[in-house]
């Protein structure tokens, strides 16, 4: 007999899985909104291709989020950007130096791990 008309409609519900890198706060104050809009404009201009110019803009967006405590500080290579390390003294992303708060947080994280 079919369970179509039964309780739950015969659907199997799966348990949701958390995101790989944990949760993160939303940018309610739009602190990094201009970088996000620049990235979306770049993606549209390159017809959906993740061009190197767009990747540099997205790096700047991630740095902005880290500097404003909207995501945990991390090394760029862990975020898929090759060798650029956020915690290094010479770290520059998209022409903008990384804030000392991010550098200190990454250094603390390295000492713990």
């Amino acid at each position: 007999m079919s369970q179509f008309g039964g309780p739950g409609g015969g659907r199997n519900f799966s348990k949701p899985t958390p995101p790989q890198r944990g949760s993160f706060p939303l940018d309610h104050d739009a602190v990094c909104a201009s970088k996000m809009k620049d990235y979306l404009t770049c993606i549209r201009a390159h017809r959906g291709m993740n061009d190197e110019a767009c990747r540099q803009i997205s790096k700047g967006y991630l740095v902005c989020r880290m500097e404003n405590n909207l995501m945990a500080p991390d090394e760029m290579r862990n975020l898929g950007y090759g060798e650029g390390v956020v915690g290094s003294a010479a770290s520059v992303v998209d022409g903008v130096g990384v804030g000392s708060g991010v550098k200190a947080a990454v250094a603390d994280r390295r000492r713990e791990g």
Side-chain angles (χ1 to χ4, degrees), residues 8-44:
R11 296 184 199 150
N12 291 330
F13 293 102
S14 63
K15 184 177 178 182
T17 57
Q20 272 187 331
R21 306 219 15 90
S23 62
F24 54 90
L26 298 175
D27 189 4
H28 292 292
D29 297 327
V31 176
C32 301
S34 64
K35 290 191 181 292
M36 177 190 63
K37 289 177 184 176
D38 290 345
Y39 174 72
L40 293 174
T41 301
C42 183
I43 289 291
R44 282 188 204 105

Side-chain angles (χ1 to χ4, degrees), residues 39-60:
Y39 174 72
L40 293 174
T41 301
C42 183
I43 289 291
R44 282 188 204 105
H46 290 93
R47 300 173 192 241
M49 300 301 291
N50 198 8
D51 188 67
E52 185 60 30
C54 301
R55 286 181 54 78
Q56 292 302 316
I57 294 170
S58 67
K59 265 188 188 182

Side-chain angles (χ1 to χ4, degrees), residues 21 59 74-86 110:
R21 306 219 15 90
K59 265 188 188 182
D74 204 344
E75 296 179 4
M76 282 294 149
R77 68 175 175 213
N78 293 339
L79 300 173
Y81 290 95
E83 298 186 18
V85 179
V86 170
R110 286 184 184 155

